[in-house]
Every structure is written in C-alpha cells, then in structure tokens.
Amino acid sequence: MLTEREHEECKKILYKLVDCDLCALCDTVTKKQIKADSKHEAISAILKYSESAFELLRRKKMARGYLFGYLADSGIVISVDAEKHQIIQRILEFWGSETDQDNLELGESSSSSSSSSLNVVCTANERESVISQPHRVAEVDLQSKQLNSLAETFLKWFYPLLNSNNPNFGQPTQEFGPHHFFDDATLHLSYKTSESNSESFKGSDLVSQRLLALVKEEMILFNPNISEDGVKCLSNPHGLVCIMTCGTVHRGNSCLGIFEQMFGLVRDPHFENNWKIKVSKLRMISGDVAENPRLCDTALAEMNALVPT
C-alpha cells in the first residue's frame, strides 16, 4: 500500500493526466471493476488499488512527460534527456521510497498491456470534461479532422485554469504561470472602451503575469464560445497550430463586452505530445452584447495571414 507521502504526491501527478489517460489507467489498475464517474473518483480508485508507488509510476499511462513535469513543479532538476526509469528513480528518492533496482529498467508494468490500445485521441464524451494542464494535450494526430478536437481540448483547459485565479470564480485556484509558455512567447493585448489602447509583452514571465493580472487584479472572467462558429483552428507544415476563439468578458454579475483571442501553439520538444503557447493576441471590446459572439471575417483573415499554408 502507498505511504501517506506517496499517496499525496501520486495524487499530484494523477491530476496532471488528461481525462482519457486517467480513465484508461483506472480501468487497468482496478481491472475494470470500479466505475469512476469523475476525475476525483478515478484518482481515488487508482490510489486505493495500486500495490505500490513504484508499480503505479511504471504504468504506461503515467507517461514520462507527466513525471518530468512533476519533478519540475517540485523544483527537482533532472536532465531533459533522462529516461523514464531514471525519472522514476529520482521521484522515489525524493519521496524516500524503496526502489527495485532489478526491475526499474524493465519498462512498463505487464498489467498495463491490456490498455495499450487506448493510447489514442480522447472520445467526444471524454473531451467534454476539463483537463488539468494546458499544454498537456492528449495524443493527437494533426490531420485536419483532428484540429477542432485539439482546439476544443485546449480551450476547455486554458480558460478554466486562468479564470480559477479570479477570487470571484468560486473554484479552487490552479497554478497559472510561465511554464505554460515558451521563453520567448509574446502577447499583444488591445482593448477598446471609450478609446483604444494596446500593450505588448515578450517573455514567458511577463506574458503569464499580464494574463494573470487580468483575472486576479482586474477581476475579469472569460466565457469563450466553444462552438463551431466561435472556434477556428489551422496548422502549417512548420509545426505551428493556431487557435482562435471569441466570447464574452465579465466582471462580477456584469457583462463588459466581447473578446477575441488567438493562440499559436508549438509542441514542447522536452515533453512528448505536450504543447506550449508561443504567441497570443487578445482583443477586448466593451459594449452591450445581444447574442453569443461569433468569429468575424476580419479575425479569420488575420489568422489565415499568420498561418500561411
């Protein structure tokens, strides 16, 4: 059984998993004997029925990227080229847990093989729940038919994460910071009230701090229109994926106006199947809102110009 420390630390890692990976892991650990109806129930079942921390960390769905990210969040530095078994060993040392040196390099636990076929894109139902990390996107084949799925997954992760830092949001605060952006990320912010203003920021620290200030200090909440007429996603052969959405901007019980936001995402070379934000443009316009905002032709033209085919 897991020690109290292992229980709490494994829980932190499990909350990083995207929902489809978490569901598959729960089925594997419990041999499909437990039906979890929420992320919390799935994590509880996984922790309860795992024989040891070592056995859990070796599971296939506990991918290297999740474990590396946990160490980074904990302030533990390890080579970016470290293999999974080396990362597991470092985690167990950090926890003061026992390691099995004879089996550490043998790969995944054999009991995980039954779920290997689930290593695919999340189903439509699984994508409806919010994932826990913005650039922790499920394994996605970037064919055109999958771009909308990627956009939906990202947006359902990003805005709840950012909004959670608004004291009036009423949800547990989640960590939003520079680790979600590339070091040279840029943000262009423009807003129109009685007059027009614009700001530009460069660097992961400044970009994340400015976006965080919008919700934490200016008390803004973003409500994106994640529907066919409110989201557009394009990619180019060079690896840039551009996502654009629109929606309403709120403060307390008041609707302040509308917003349009574009994200340029690039795969993080240090983490398999993970994404980080390279560029973002955010436009906010105050005024009355009569209907759910839709992406206008001007915004779509701007997006097409940024991602030439």
Side-chain angles (χ1 to χ4, degrees):
M1 301 298 293
L2 304 180
T3 66
E4 183 177 350
R5 171 105 191 254
E6 290 170 345
H7 186 281
E8 293 305 311
E9 297 302 317
C10 284
K11 184 187 296 186
K12 294 178 184 178
I13 299 175
L14 290 170
Y15 268 109
K16 291 178 176 292
L17 271 64
V18 295
D19 293 335
C20 50
D21 282 352
L22 191 65
C23 290
L25 180 58
C26 182
D27 285 344
T28 299
V29 171
T30 67
K31 300 186 185 301
K32 297 187 177 180
Q33 299 300 303
I34 302 295
K35 180 175 176 10
D37 295 323
S38 68
K39 190 160 195 167
H40 175 74
E41 290 182 5
I43 290 174
S44 295
I46 291 168
L47 295 173
K48 182 176 181 179
Y49 290 96
S50 291
E51 296 179 2
S52 68
F54 174 65
E55 178 257 352
L56 176 57
L57 294 176
R58 291 178 64 200
R59 296 285 187 182
K60 185 170 185 178
K61 293 303 179 182
M62 296 288 270
R64 177 191 177 280
Y66 296 133
L67 303 182
F68 190 101
Y70 164 79
L71 283 180
D73 292 345
S74 302
I76 307 298
V77 178
I78 191 171
S79 171
V80 296
D81 297 321
E83 297 181 5
K84 182 179 177 179
H85 69 85
Q86 295 171 317
I87 297 175
I88 292 175
Q89 181 177 358
R90 185 67 187 91
I91 290 175
L92 295 175
E93 290 174 353
F94 175 49
W95 295 348
S97 303
E98 294 184 2
T99 61
D100 186 344
Q101 293 296 332
D102 293 333
N103 295 321
L104 194 58
E105 298 186 31
L106 293 181
E108 316 302 344
S109 178
S110 59
S111 59
S112 69
S113 60
S114 61
S115 65
S116 61
S117 62
L118 297 175
N119 194 24
V120 295
V121 179
C122 297
T123 66
N125 288 337
E126 289 167 334
R127 287 195 303 269
E128 288 179 358
S129 54
V130 177
I131 62 176
S132 58
Q133 291 288 330
H135 56 286
R136 300 271 195 268
V137 178
E139 296 178 0
V140 175
D141 177 8
L142 285 183
Q143 301 298 321
S144 58
K145 64 181 180 179
Q146 299 296 346
L147 287 175
N148 287 339
S149 173
L150 172 59
E152 179 182 349
T153 302
F154 172 79
L155 295 174
K156 285 187 174 181
W157 166 80
F158 180 85
Y159 288 106
L161 175 72
L162 182 61
N163 283 337
S164 73
N165 289 272
N166 185 317
N168 294 330
F169 189 53
Q171 298 291 331
T173 302
Q174 302 179 58
E175 183 182 4
F176 182 91
H179 53 288
H180 298 136
F181 301 83
F182 281 99
D183 290 342
D184 60 348
T186 59
L187 168 68
H188 182 74
L189 171 63
S190 61
Y191 41 98
K192 184 176 182 181
T193 52
S194 56
E195 57 183 27
S196 298
N197 294 281
S198 63
E199 306 171 6
S200 294
F201 303 87
K202 185 171 184 177
S204 56
D205 287 326
L206 291 178
V207 170
S208 60
Q209 288 171 12
R210 185 64 185 100
L211 288 171
L212 193 60
L214 288 173
V215 297
K216 193 172 184 178
E217 299 173 13
E218 300 180 38
M219 309 295 283
I220 286 175
L221 285 172
F222 294 93
N223 181 31
N225 174 18
I226 307 180
S227 66
E228 185 176 355
D229 56 3
V231 178
K232 182 70 174 178
C233 188
L234 298 173
S235 66
N236 68 14
H238 307 294
L240 177 69
V241 172
C242 187
I243 299 172
M244 177 164 278
T245 190
C246 60
T248 50
V249 181
H250 304 258
R251 180 182 290 126
N253 294 323
S254 301
C255 180
L256 305 181
I258 64 172
F259 79 92
E260 294 174 340
Q261 188 162 15
M262 182 277 295
F263 301 92
L265 306 183
V266 177
R267 284 187 186 272
D268 182 352
H270 298 143
F271 297 92
E272 185 179 0
N273 297 314
N274 296 337
W275 299 82
K276 283 189 175 183
I277 301 169
K278 179 76 171 177
V279 59
S280 183
K281 293 184 178 182
L282 172 60
R283 179 185 299 119
M284 295 185 289
I285 304 172
S286 66
D288 296 331
V289 180
E291 59 182 3
N292 207 16
R294 303 165 62 181
L295 287 174
C296 64
D297 292 339
T298 302
L300 295 176
E302 180 181 345
M303 180 179 179
N304 280 299
L306 183 68
V307 189
T309 57

